[in-house]
Amino acid sequence: MMKFRFRRQGADPQREKLKQELFAFHKTVEHGFPNQPSALAFDPELRIMAIGTRSGAVRIYGAPGVEFTGLHHNAATVAQMHFLPGQGRLLTLLDDNSLHLWEIVPHNGCAHLEEMLSFQLPSRPVFDGASTLPSLSRVTVVLLVADGNRAALGTEGGSVFFLNMDTLTLLEGQTLAPDEVLRSLPDDYRCGKALGPVESLQGHLQDPSKILIGYSRGLLVIWSQTAHCVERVFLGNQQLESLCWERSGSTVVSSHSDGSYAIWPADSGSSLVLQPTAATMPYGPFPCKAINKILWRNCESGGHFIIFSGGMPRASYGDRHCVSVLQAETLVTLDFTSRVIDFFTVHSTLLEDEFDDPQALAVLLEEELVVLDLQTPGWPAVPAPYLAPLHSSAITCSAHVANVPAKLWARLVSSGEQQSPQPTSSTSSWPITGGQNLAQEPSQRGLLLTGHEDGTVRFWDASGVALRPLYKLSTAALFQTDCEHADSLAQAAEDDWPPFRKVGCFDPYSDDPRLGVQKVALCKYTARMVVAGTAGQVLVLELSDVPAEQAVSVASMDLLQDREGFTWKGHDQLSPSTGPLPWPAGFQPQVLVQCLPPAAITAVTLHTEWGLVAFGTSHGFGVFDYQRKSPVLARCTLHPNDSLAMEGPLSRVKSLKKSLRQSFRRIRKSRVSGKKRAVNASSKLQEANAQLAEQAYPHDVEVTPVQRRIEPRSADDSLSGVVRCLYFADTFLRDAVHHGPTLWAGTNSGSVFAYALEVPAAATGSEKRPEQAVEAVLGKEVQLMHRAPVVAVTVLDGRGRPLPEPYEASRDLAQAPDMQGGHAVLIASEEQFKVFTLPKVSAKTKFKLTAHEGCRVRKVALATFASVACEDYAETCLACLTNLGDVHVFSVPGLRPQVHYSCIRKEDISGIASCVFTRHGQGFYLISPSEFERFSLSARNITEPLCSLDIRWPRDTTCDSYRLQESPKLSQANGTPGIILAPRSCDGSPSPARSKGAGDTLEPSEATLSPISMDSATSADTTLDTTGDVTMEDVRDFLGRGQTAGPYHHLSLPKLFRGTPEESAECGAR
């Protein structure tokens, strides 16, 4: 019979107001490199750069922290982008033959990007007698005429149309048809052949009335707009790819499909030029690929630059992605690891300057952006303050560390600078410096750690909008791999010609997949960290400011404990290098612990105050004393029937018999349970009881929702022994009087093991404990009823607050925990949250998330939410991400639901698996292999772009009548709309919470309690490996889903508004 529990009628208005001051959902900024870039533009006056993507996204970058984002509503590929110099306006051409005009508009002291006008070019004949505009074939090239209010459009049909930029409409009577050009050609050149598509349009810097037109056939024409006639013709016969007009207008450079480029005189007396003055095939004489784009830049010091992409010999290097830089006798072939999209030079564009004098070369590749300093000998690369390729090697895990001490921060920056020292003669800095960052300097520093497939851990400055690389740690040097041998062979095979030079850091290929980093944990107070990998390797490292040459201690731990009947069928362990090894300044390994069998590490935690590290795999967990370099505990968690755990994630041999047996067992079990339900339960009786309940109780009384029936999981399910979480805590385990160190471990089968640790106490005034052995004794063992996997475990003190991190309380960096009242342990499984009292381990309170919401827990973390209205008020809450992509926030320790938001698409399994929560109510998740989406659950701590742009051009107010609806927040193709749910006025002005700055601010007194993540000792970490996080439930949810949600641009504004009906009506009325 259904059970009802009465609650208070309506919600507490005071609590609802407090929720609005504590919680608000924002998607704020995308960190990393745009996924699948397709177009590039640069404004030399404002010094800003734009990147368009295949998903229709538009990103504009200036100085670090200056970012503008937009998204085309039809989500087509951005084919071309062109800035109107100095105006803050951008014209985009999509592959659906539509044009869009964007503008950076100031609003409330800041600026944002809006789509002002849109125009779909007519591609079919118009039969309306009133229209005299001809139909357009596909637009191939766009040129913004120097006068600023017109654009020339070259088409596949060979025509050139002109567009009014103020209204984004075609100008009648100014079209240049191919017939007009053909009339100016000699008869023998015409000979019935078409000119082909318009491949290039170039403007004359000194004379804006002249346009250089290049046709695919090879013909070049200088067209005079004032005289409306052809001034000069260059009779080329090779298929044209690109054109460049030299600054003075006396020389034209053309590149062709056969890998050659030609130089034509544009100031000769004759109007008909038959031959170029020079034609060169740089990498001939054998057949070469096309030179897709070419630039000519002159220098005051003499010796012009010729920069071009492509042109490689087809047979030998046709698969290389290259940009060649030629100056006088110096030729450098820049060899990249991904396809070249576009490139530009940063040079002088002032009319009074006689020379270009290029300062830098920016190359946009498919996977990264590379900038070279052209004023320094050797043309070194300029370190990028943003747009770093996060996926230079595939990201396998991530973690966030908040409130990093200034000393550790300075040491990390120093170690990073020693890794990539710049030439002493280099004076160039980042050339894209437009705009002004208005965000306040962050009051605390945040680190984002990413583990990668090649065994590296990268440290990123995540304090502000720009994600800046700080330091890179590599663990591959500790192991014997074949990478050195392969590199020497590759270098020996390369000749001196072409003069290749490897540029860029994108390298998606891993020498050995066993090097992949699965878990990381960092202690910010002692500068120690743990890096755990795919082959069961656990590294304990310590930060050093000077290089050193030392041997690394190696220890092994058998987690099977000689259990019979299990044979490891997976990959072998990595072989460590022997003898002393040179280590650069930075994190240097001290101890290597090898788990046996060498399965991937699924959980790790570090306690530097006790000198202990704990780690878990699919077979069990262990504790290692890295101070004495001796094992403390090894516990096997395998079920007797769990042979699948012995296969390993990299094994190609799977037990087909085991899979078939489990499948038939599930089918048989579902049939039996179905028959039992049919016999024992009467559906008619349940319907009658429900009707009686509706009649008996008033409709305005809130009742708890009907709970779903949750089937308990089988004890012999595969991978039931996977250790999902590990946690160190100083709490009461044996009795209510004596507290001490404990270790908590949660598994995939719903088991929680609690061990009491005997750790020798450090002497007074010393942080190093005596050299005595640490002992571990099993204190408690909890088995959850439904055997749901345990996601996280944390201990709450007598005030219901999480325990501080190691050394936080002893160094007076956080309030000491309450050891007088009774402690409690919060156990979060995939189905529910439950609080048990300690030391009796009796249930105190719980919330059944799966039963109420029909979802499963994927990520949890404790976070501090500061009030936007009161500086001294904050609450510690539990943030939870589900398999449906929703974020829920619960009070602690009461576990009362506070708010929930839709954050990630439920189809985006990798995005959900990659989510990381911070200690101050923010989070990150991957929206593509190269981008993190940043979001905030806090009404106070928001990191978003706050910037302005100094635009000095007379803005035409008549264009406001053409303005489109403001572009939505960029969400990428696999993201979700960044709808702002914070309290906002109906006129769109931001709430006071959003104008306080971009960084996580210092927290009030309660924030000093240092609530930590429940996944590790630092913050929520995640693994993208299928061992622990992407479970079978994810795949079932993905495959068994019904109709998915519609595209983003079909949503209407009322549906996106998350307020109450009264608030929605009020905003509509305004």
Side-chain angles (χ1 to χ4, degrees):
M1 190 172 179
M2 297 180 63
K3 296 181 180 180
F4 292 86
R5 184 170 73 247
F6 288 95
R7 296 179 182 173
R8 291 182 299 177
Q9 298 188 16
D12 182 8
Q14 187 68 24
R15 181 60 191 173
E16 293 301 317
K17 179 182 178 182
L18 189 57
K19 286 182 184 180
Q20 293 183 359
E21 297 172 353
L22 291 173
F23 312 110
F25 182 73
H26 315 275
K27 286 191 177 180
T28 54
V29 66
E30 291 81 28
H31 295 301
F33 185 77
N35 188 40
Q36 297 180 326
S38 58
L40 177 69
F42 179 68
D43 188 335
E45 295 186 21
L46 296 179
R47 289 291 183 112
I48 55 177
M49 174 184 66
I51 296 178
T53 69
R54 293 175 59 182
S55 60
V58 176
R59 306 277 191 87
I60 297 180
Y61 301 93
V66 178
E67 295 185 13
F68 305 95
T69 59
L71 182 66
H72 291 90
H73 291 278
N74 47 359
T77 298
V78 181
Q80 294 184 41
M81 310 175 75
H82 301 272
F83 273 109
L84 280 70
Q87 300 183 17
R89 295 196 293 173
L90 178 71
L91 181 66
T92 60
L93 170 68
L94 305 187
D95 64 352
D96 63 356
N97 222 33
S98 63
L99 288 168
H100 304 261
L101 183 63
W102 298 79
E103 183 177 339
I104 299 175
V105 181
H107 180 70
N108 288 346
C110 299
H112 63 277
L113 186 64
E114 284 189 19
E115 183 178 352
M116 311 298 290
L117 299 172
S118 177
F119 177 56
Q120 182 68 47
L121 297 170
S123 57
R124 295 180 181 179
V126 180
F127 298 101
D128 185 7
S131 176
T132 60
L133 289 176
S135 63
L136 273 73
S137 56
R138 188 177 67 89
V139 175
T140 56
V141 63
V142 178
L143 169 67
L144 295 177
V145 183
D147 55 16
N149 61 352
R150 286 186 306 154
L153 310 178
T155 66
E156 273 188 343
S159 299
V160 178
F161 296 85
F162 290 88
L163 192 74
N164 186 335
M165 292 300 300
D166 293 334
T167 60
L168 219 59
T169 56
L170 291 176
L171 295 174
E172 301 183 18
Q174 296 191 24
T175 302
L176 173 60
D179 295 340
E180 298 185 52
V181 178
L182 285 171
R183 286 195 293 265
S184 303
L185 303 180
D187 294 338
D188 57 344
Y189 190 84
R190 277 184 282 179
C191 63
K193 293 183 180 180
L195 298 178
V198 178
E199 291 291 341
S200 181
L201 293 173
Q202 297 291 324
H204 195 295
L205 185 62
Q206 308 296 333
D207 187 356
S209 65
K210 296 180 181 180
I211 297 179
L212 176 63
I213 307 173
Y215 295 91
S216 177
R217 180 180 170 182
L219 176 70
L220 312 182
V221 172
I222 296 181
W223 174 263
S224 174
Q225 299 181 75
T226 55
H228 203 73
C229 67
V230 175
E231 273 196 4
R232 185 168 281 104
V233 174
F234 306 89
L235 299 181
N237 292 307
Q238 187 61 42
Q239 182 177 340
L240 183 70
E241 293 289 334
S242 173
L243 280 178
C244 182
W245 209 337
E246 187 261 339
R247 184 183 187 92
S248 64
S250 61
T251 305
V252 171
V253 184
S254 62
S255 66
H256 303 277
S257 61
D258 63 346
S260 66
Y261 66 86
I263 301 175
W264 304 81
D267 56 355
S268 62
S270 174
S271 62
L272 184 64
V273 181
L274 301 178
Q275 295 292 335
T277 56
T280 307
M281 184 178 291
Y283 299 106
F286 299 105
C288 296
K289 301 192 72 174
I291 295 181
N292 302 310
K293 181 177 179 178
I294 191 166
L295 296 178
W296 176 298
R297 300 288 182 256
N298 56 17
C299 302
E300 187 175 3
S301 58
H304 53 264
F305 278 94
I306 296 180
I307 306 171
F308 59 90
S309 61
M312 290 291 104
R314 286 186 178 273
S316 304
Y317 305 106
D319 58 344
R320 297 291 185 99
H321 310 288
C322 299
V323 171
S324 301
V325 182
L326 174 64
Q327 185 185 30
E329 300 299 325
T330 304
L331 172 65
V332 174
T333 308
L334 306 175
D335 188 11
F336 303 100
T337 54
S338 58
R339 186 170 58 93
V340 178
I341 303 297
D342 201 355
F343 59 93
F344 64 84
T345 58
V346 180
H347 61 277
S348 173
T349 57
L350 299 177
L351 294 178
E352 56 268 19
D353 290 344
E354 185 179 352
F355 300 96
D356 295 309
D357 287 330
Q359 306 168 16
L361 169 66
V363 184
L364 176 66
L365 307 164
E366 198 168 34
E367 306 293 351
E368 62 182 321
L369 178 75
V370 176
V371 176
L372 300 180
D373 178 11
L374 296 182
Q375 294 184 332
T376 301
W379 305 328
V382 180
Y386 50 81
L387 283 177
L390 302 175
H391 63 317
S392 53
S393 176
I395 296 177
T396 52
C397 70
S398 53
H400 184 270
V401 184
N403 298 328
V404 179
K407 183 177 180 180
L408 174 60
W409 190 271
R411 295 177 67 188
L412 286 173
V413 171
S414 175
S415 299
E417 291 175 348
Q418 295 182 48
Q419 286 183 333
S420 56
Q422 291 300 304
T424 55
S425 59
S426 177
T427 58
S428 175
S429 58
W430 186 249
I432 305 166
T433 57
Q436 182 181 3
N437 184 13
L438 302 179
Q440 298 178 358
E441 187 70 19
S443 55
Q444 62 90 23
R445 299 293 185 180
L447 269 180
L448 181 65
L449 310 181
T450 56
H452 298 265
E453 191 181 31
D454 61 354
T456 59
V457 178
R458 286 171 168 82
F459 292 65
W460 307 90
D461 178 5
S463 310
V465 172
L467 192 68
R468 182 169 62 95
L470 294 179
Y471 167 73
K472 183 178 78 170
L473 164 67
S474 178
T475 63
L478 185 59
F479 304 99
Q480 297 177 4
T481 60
D482 297 331
C483 59
E484 295 89 356
H485 181 64
D487 289 344
S488 61
L489 288 179
Q491 292 176 1
E494 291 187 1
D495 298 328
D496 294 333
W497 182 262
F500 286 118
R501 172 183 159 192
K502 288 285 186 182
V503 183
C505 61
F506 177 72
D507 185 11
Y509 306 106
S510 175
D511 297 307
D512 195 329
R514 296 175 297 173
L515 291 171
V517 177
Q518 294 297 320
K519 295 289 179 181
V520 292
L522 172 66
C523 176
K524 59 190 177 184
Y525 301 112
T526 59
R528 278 193 175 91
M529 74 176 301
V530 175
V531 178
T534 304
Q537 69 271 26
V538 180
L539 275 149
V540 181
L541 305 100
E542 187 175 5
L543 185 61
S544 175
D545 297 328
V546 294
E549 185 171 347
Q550 60 187 16
V552 179
S553 301
V554 180
S556 61
M557 292 187 66
D558 185 8
L559 299 182
L560 288 181
Q561 295 295 290
D562 300 326
R563 184 173 294 193
E564 297 180 356
F566 291 92
T567 304
W568 174 248
K569 303 175 185 178
H571 51 267
D572 295 330
Q573 67 185 57
L574 287 165
S575 300
S577 302
T578 57
L581 298 174
W583 300 102
F587 279 97
Q588 300 172 355
Q590 307 294 320
V591 183
L592 168 63
V593 184
Q594 179 63 57
C595 296
L596 298 176
I601 302 297
T602 58
V604 73
T605 187
L606 173 69
H607 202 292
T608 52
E609 204 164 353
W610 302 337
L612 300 177
V613 57
F615 42 85
T617 69
S618 55
H619 308 122
F621 59 91
V623 180
F624 190 83
D625 182 354
Y626 64 82
Q627 182 173 319
R628 297 183 69 251
K629 300 178 181 178
S630 62
V632 176
L633 167 70
R635 170 68 184 260
C636 181
T637 57
L638 280 178
H639 191 271
N641 297 331
D642 192 4
S643 62
L644 189 60
M646 306 306 295
E647 302 287 350
L650 301 180
S651 174
R652 297 182 179 180
V653 182
K654 294 296 181 181
S655 176
L656 179 61
K657 185 183 297 184
K658 172 80 173 179
S659 302
L660 291 174
R661 186 185 301 118
Q662 289 180 345
S663 300
F664 283 114
R665 189 176 297 165
R666 291 191 188 97
I667 294 174
R668 191 181 305 114
K669 186 185 300 183
S670 63
R671 288 176 178 173
V672 172
S673 61
K675 292 179 181 178
K676 289 181 179 179
R677 284 195 295 270
V679 173
N680 298 334
S682 173
S683 59
K684 293 184 178 180
L685 181 59
Q686 290 182 358
E687 291 179 3
N689 289 336
Q691 293 177 359
L692 289 174
E694 289 184 0
Q695 297 174 2
Y697 299 110
H699 293 282
D700 58 347
V701 177
E702 181 184 359
V703 297
T704 57
V706 178
Q707 295 186 9
R708 294 166 174 81
R709 178 183 177 88
I710 307 300
E711 294 289 343
R713 309 187 187 198
S714 174
D716 59 350
D717 278 350
S718 62
L719 301 178
S720 60
V722 175
V723 178
R724 295 290 295 272
C725 61
L726 292 165
Y727 176 69
F728 283 119
D730 184 1
T731 187
F732 302 91
L733 187 61
R734 296 175 176 174
D735 54 55
V737 179
H738 304 92
H739 62 86
T742 61
L743 170 71
W744 299 76
T747 70
N748 230 24
S749 60
S751 299
V752 178
F753 304 95
Y755 280 82
L757 304 175
E758 294 291 341
V759 180
T764 305
S766 173
E767 292 184 349
K768 189 174 184 179
R769 61 177 175 80
E771 293 291 332
Q772 298 178 7
V774 178
E775 298 181 359
V777 179
L778 181 62
K780 306 288 181 182
E781 186 172 345
V782 180
Q783 178 63 58
L784 300 183
M785 183 181 299
H786 288 155
R787 299 183 178 274
V790 178
V791 179
V793 177
T794 190
V795 172
L796 308 175
D797 67 1
R799 293 185 291 265
R801 297 167 180 171
L803 301 181
E805 292 183 21
Y807 286 113
E808 268 195 325
S810 60
R811 296 184 179 181
D812 296 328
L813 299 172
Q815 185 177 349
D818 183 6
M819 291 297 184
Q820 303 300 323
H823 283 200
V825 59
L826 170 61
I827 299 177
S829 72
E830 284 192 356
E831 296 179 357
Q832 68 177 1
F833 309 117
K834 203 165 187 176
V835 175
F836 297 88
T837 60
L838 289 178
K840 293 183 178 180
V841 193
S842 58
K844 183 178 181 181
T845 182
K846 64 182 176 182
F847 183 85
K848 299 180 179 180
L849 185 69
T850 303
H852 288 299
E853 305 292 339
C855 53
R856 290 186 174 90
V857 178
R858 287 292 174 261
K859 300 288 177 180
V860 290
L862 288 169
T864 298
F865 293 87
S867 172
V868 72
C870 180
E871 294 284 340
D872 300 327
Y873 184 78
E875 290 185 6
T876 299
C877 297
L878 178 69
C880 155
L881 176 69
T882 71
N883 64 324
L884 302 181
D886 298 331
V887 176
H888 298 253
V889 179
F890 299 88
S891 63
V892 174
L895 297 181
R896 296 184 180 89
Q898 302 299 306
V899 290
H900 72 274
Y901 309 104
S902 177
C903 181
I904 310 174
R905 294 185 304 112
K906 57 185 178 181
E907 298 88 358
D908 189 4
I909 297 177
S910 62
I912 294 174
S914 64
C915 183
V916 174
F917 288 107
T918 75
R919 290 173 49 184
H920 301 301
Q922 297 192 29
F924 304 83
Y925 70 92
L926 287 172
I927 55 176
S928 72
S930 60
E931 291 174 290
F932 273 109
E933 173 84 59
R934 189 170 190 148
F935 65 90
S936 174
L937 305 173
S938 171
R940 178 170 170 179
N941 293 321
I942 303 170
T943 303
E944 65 175 354
L946 296 175
C947 47
S948 64
L949 198 62
D950 188 11
I951 302 173
R952 299 185 182 92
W953 69 282
R955 184 180 175 189
D956 188 2
T957 57
T958 59
C959 292
D960 292 342
S961 60
Y962 298 95
R963 179 177 299 184
L964 300 178
Q965 181 182 1
E966 180 178 343
S967 173
K969 165 77 171 58
L970 173 64
S971 61
Q972 285 297 330
N974 60 344
T976 49
I979 306 304
I980 296 173
L981 302 181
R984 294 174 70 93
S985 62
C986 294
D987 60 357
S989 61
S991 64
R994 298 181 64 84
S995 59
K996 287 197 172 186
D1000 280 352
T1001 58
L1002 285 176
E1003 299 300 326
S1005 57
E1006 184 170 335
T1008 60
L1009 297 177
S1010 302
I1012 64 174
S1013 163
M1014 301 170 60
D1015 285 338
S1016 70
T1018 54
S1019 182
D1021 65 342
T1022 181
T1023 176
L1024 303 190
D1025 184 67
T1026 57
T1027 305
D1029 291 298
V1030 180
T1031 62
M1032 290 300 297
E1033 284 75 12
D1034 288 314
V1035 181
R1036 293 191 190 104
D1037 294 338
F1038 181 73
L1039 296 178
R1041 190 176 300 109
Q1043 186 178 0
T1044 58
Y1048 163 61
H1049 57 271
H1050 290 308
L1051 296 177
S1052 59
L1053 186 60
K1055 292 181 181 179
L1056 298 177
F1057 187 82
R1058 293 295 183 89
T1060 62
E1062 292 77 13
E1063 292 171 336
S1064 180
E1066 181 182 359
C1067 281
R1070 292 189 182 182

